[in-house]
């Protein structure tokens, strides 16, 4: 965390590692969902080619993943809207 007076030299390794850490913290959740989605699609086609009735399971899991992402996005949007209204009400 940033502390006043304890800043690293510009271009130092600490600063570079901090930037890399922040980038990975931002990119890991979307990459995780992309990899999971691709795995579910592959599982669906493998089960479908085998003639299995269980091919519907990856479709259901994919639908649950999409529903979870949409709800998370909506809750973040509501939270942002509440912060804005509280800011203008003050």
């Amino acid at each position: 965390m940033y502390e006043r007076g304890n800043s690293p030299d510009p271009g130092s390794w600490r600063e570079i590692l901090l930037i890399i850490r922040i980038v990975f913290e931002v990119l890991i959740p979307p990459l995780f969902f992309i990899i999971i989605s691709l795995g579910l699609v592959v599982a669906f086609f493998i089960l479908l080619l085998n003639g299995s009735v269980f091919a519907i399971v990856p479709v259901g899991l994919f639908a649950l993943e999409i529903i979870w992402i949409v709800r998370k996005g909506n809750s973040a949007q509501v939270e942002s809207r509440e912060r804005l209204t509280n800011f203008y009400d003050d």
Side-chain angles (χ1 to χ4, degrees), residues 29-30 33 65-79:
F33 285 115
E65 179 184 3
I66 297 297
I67 290 170
W68 185 79
I69 291 171
V70 168
R71 284 188 179 174
K72 185 177 179 183
N74 286 342
S75 66
Q77 193 175 28
V78 168
E79 181 182 316

Side-chain angles (χ1 to χ4, degrees), residues 78-90:
V78 168
E79 181 182 316
S80 297
R81 206 174 286 148
E82 287 175 0
R83 276 191 281 151
L84 279 175
T85 55
N86 291 339
F87 176 76
Y88 287 116
D89 287 341
D90 290 338

Side-chain angles (χ1 to χ4, degrees), residues 38-55 58:
L38 288 175
L40 289 172
V41 169
V42 168
F44 170 74
F45 282 116
I46 288 173
L47 290 171
L48 191 64
L49 288 174
N50 289 332
S52 176
V53 179
F54 296 114

Side-chain angles (χ1 to χ4, degrees), residues 3 9 16 19 22-24 27-28 30 37 41 47 56-59 61 64-65 67 69 72 77 85:
E3 295 177 11
D9 297 331
I16 292 169
I19 291 170
I22 291 170
V23 167
F24 277 115
L27 289 179
I28 284 179
S37 298
V41 169
L47 290 171
I56 195 80
V57 173
V59 174
L61 291 174
L64 287 175
E65 179 184 3
I67 290 170
I69 291 171
K72 185 177 179 183
Q77 193 175 28
T85 55

